[in-house]
């Protein structure tokens, strides 16, 4: 039947299977999926997270359509969250720069803000640091700066087709599922990934997606604050090959992590890299950078990584790296 995937997602009387997913993507490619069906599939995925097997099948059906590219970024790590949760400053992008200043190779993916505020891509636009447009360009920047920000080419083209098909409906309204599983949709050939999960009920599905990528060390982190990053002043759980609890490294409150006014985004971000923000915010950035360093095998444990991250910030290396990238990348 034409609508097998939609029926499986909405009524859940039978499992989501690869043939029905393949049929849907084929019809989408041939422009035989109309707006109503595309919107209904997205809404069904986004309203209630399907079971882990279904989520894994849908994501697998997208990955198998990707052409092989042959690129590998050994010992590199990605930090990316599912979005959602309290609006904070861009912790993950700051942590990426701090980790790179610690000599950890970082290739970061991200997105634009889904409900106001400034997402990682919005921030990079304002900094004048563009996204890469190919694996070759990503590798070049990674070798030159120790950090690169991968562009849309790492994501399935089917997502763009979906967005166009549902117009004038907004993908941010009916396609929340894409943000949630986005960290597992990118074809990013790194060795490790740190993914913050804002909604802990999604952990079973995301753990299944992580298990489906055995060649990559993937850590999923969550906390009671519902933030999609490690937070320095609360207990965090990290789910991976070994589950562990990360205890607070200091005191603080969410107000100290709050996103600045839009006109202040760039100065606030650069101050954060220089350690001139509230202590809780700097500690949170350093804790995430430490996790990147440990996941990449660059530091033995989180306490050691945290000390190294704090030393890098005190030395001014992360801000200097960001400023150098702004000068070089923005001017070609």
């Amino acid at each position: 039947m034409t609508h097998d995937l939609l029926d499986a997602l909405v009524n859940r009387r039978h499992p989501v299977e690869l043939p029905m997913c393949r049929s849907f993507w084929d019809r989408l490619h041939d422009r035989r999926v109309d707006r109503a069906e595309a919107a209904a599939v997205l809404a069904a995925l986004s309203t209630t997270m399907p079971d882990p097997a279904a989520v894994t099948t849908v994501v697998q059906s997208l990955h198998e359509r990707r052409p092989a590219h042959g690129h590998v970024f050994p010992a590199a790590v990605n930090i990316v969250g599912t979005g959602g949760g309290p609006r904070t400053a861009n912790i993950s992008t700051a942590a990426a720069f701090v980790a790179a200043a610690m000599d950890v190779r970082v290739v970061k993916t991200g997105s634009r803000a889904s409900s106001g505020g400034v997402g990682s891509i919005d921030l990079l636009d304002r900094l004048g640091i563009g996204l890469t447009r190919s694996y070759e360009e990503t590798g070049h920047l990674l070798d030159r700066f120790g950090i690169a920000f991968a562009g849309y080419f790492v994501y399935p083209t089917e997502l763009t087709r979906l967005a166009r098909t549902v117009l004038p409906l907004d993908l941010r309204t009916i396609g929340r599922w894409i943000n949630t599983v986005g960290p597992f949709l990118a074809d990013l050939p790194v060795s490790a990934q740190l993914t913050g999960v804002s909604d802990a009920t999604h952990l079973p599905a995301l753990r299944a997606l992580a298990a489906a990528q055995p060649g990559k060390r993937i850590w999923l982190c969550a906390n009671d604050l519902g933030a999609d990053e490690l937070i320095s002043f609360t207990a965090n759980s990290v789910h991976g090959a070994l589950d562990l609890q990360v205890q607070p490294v200091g005191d603080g409150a969410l107000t100290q992590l709050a996103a600045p006014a839009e006109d202040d985004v760039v100065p606030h971000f650069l101050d954060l890299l220089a350690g001139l923000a509230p202590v809780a915010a700097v500690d949170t950035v350093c804790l995430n950078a430490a996790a990147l360093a440990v996941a990449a095998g660059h530091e033995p444990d989180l306490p050691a990584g945290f000390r190294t991250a704090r030393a890098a910030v005190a030395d001014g290396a992360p801000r200097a790296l960001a400023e150098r990238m702004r000068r070089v990348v923005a001017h070609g």
Side-chain angles (χ1 to χ4, degrees):
M1 284 179 59
T2 300
H3 300 105
D4 276 353
L5 177 59
L6 181 58
D7 180 49
L9 290 172
V10 172
N11 296 311
R12 308 196 178 191
R13 292 176 299 205
H14 50 79
V16 172
E17 298 174 339
L18 275 174
M20 62 180 67
C21 296
R22 291 165 177 159
S23 173
F24 177 78
W25 301 126
D26 287 342
R27 289 190 299 107
L28 181 70
H29 181 271
D30 296 336
R31 299 184 180 180
R32 291 185 290 115
V33 173
D34 61 22
R35 181 186 304 137
E37 183 185 359
V41 166
L42 282 170
L45 286 166
S46 300
T47 302
T48 302
M49 178 69 76
D51 65 82
V55 173
T56 302
T57 299
V58 175
V59 172
Q60 179 185 344
S61 72
L62 285 166
H63 280 308
E64 68 181 17
R65 301 174 72 87
R66 297 289 302 261
H69 53 76
H71 291 272
V72 179
F73 303 129
V77 62
N78 179 24
I79 178 171
V80 57
T82 61
R87 278 186 56 190
T88 63
N90 205 291
I91 301 298
S92 63
T93 306
F97 275 109
V98 173
M102 298 163 62
D103 294 326
V104 178
R105 286 162 57 87
V106 181
V107 182
K108 178 167 168 45
T109 56
S111 63
R112 296 196 182 276
S114 59
S115 57
V118 176
S120 61
I121 294 178
D122 305 300
L123 171 63
L124 292 169
D125 282 347
R126 296 182 185 208
L127 287 168
I129 300 174
L131 303 179
T132 62
R133 291 162 291 185
S134 67
Y135 290 105
E136 291 81 5
E137 184 182 1
T138 303
H140 171 72
L141 289 180
L142 183 61
D143 289 341
R144 184 169 186 179
F145 297 104
I147 186 171
F149 297 92
Y152 297 111
F153 70 92
V154 299
Y155 292 100
T157 58
E158 287 78 9
L159 303 184
T160 301
R161 293 183 182 274
L162 273 175
R164 291 173 177 168
T165 301
V166 301
L167 286 174
L169 297 174
D170 192 333
L171 197 66
R172 292 175 296 182
T173 301
I174 61 174
R176 179 74 185 91
W177 183 84
I178 292 175
N179 265 56
T180 302
V181 302
F184 300 93
L185 292 175
D187 184 4
L188 196 64
V190 294
S191 300
Q193 178 172 300
L194 176 66
T195 294
V197 181
S198 61
D199 186 342
T201 66
H202 295 156
L203 279 169
L206 299 182
R207 292 189 74 158
L209 289 176
Q213 299 186 34
K216 185 184 295 185
R217 184 183 302 109
I218 297 176
W219 289 359
L220 305 171
C221 61
N223 50 66
D224 290 340
L225 297 177
D228 68 339
E229 56 256 328
L230 295 166
I231 301 296
S232 66
F233 49 83
T234 192
N236 303 272
S237 59
V238 176
H239 307 267
L242 294 175
D243 293 348
L244 60 119
Q245 293 293 314
V246 179
Q247 297 306 314
V249 297
D251 297 324
L254 275 174
T255 54
Q256 295 171 290
L257 307 183
E262 293 207 15
D263 290 344
D264 296 330
V265 165
V266 170
H268 180 275
F269 182 76
L270 295 175
D271 282 350
L272 184 57
L273 293 183
L276 301 177
V279 172
V282 177
D283 281 351
T284 291
V285 168
C286 289
L287 183 61
N288 284 273
L292 288 176
V294 177
H298 201 79
E299 291 282 346
D301 52 45
L302 281 175
F306 183 76
R307 290 191 295 271
T308 304
R310 261 305 201 167
V313 170
D315 188 49
R319 177 164 182 165
L321 172 60
E323 294 284 18
R324 186 160 64 94
M325 282 197 80
R326 295 181 77 189
R327 290 194 301 271
V328 176
V329 177
H331 297 94

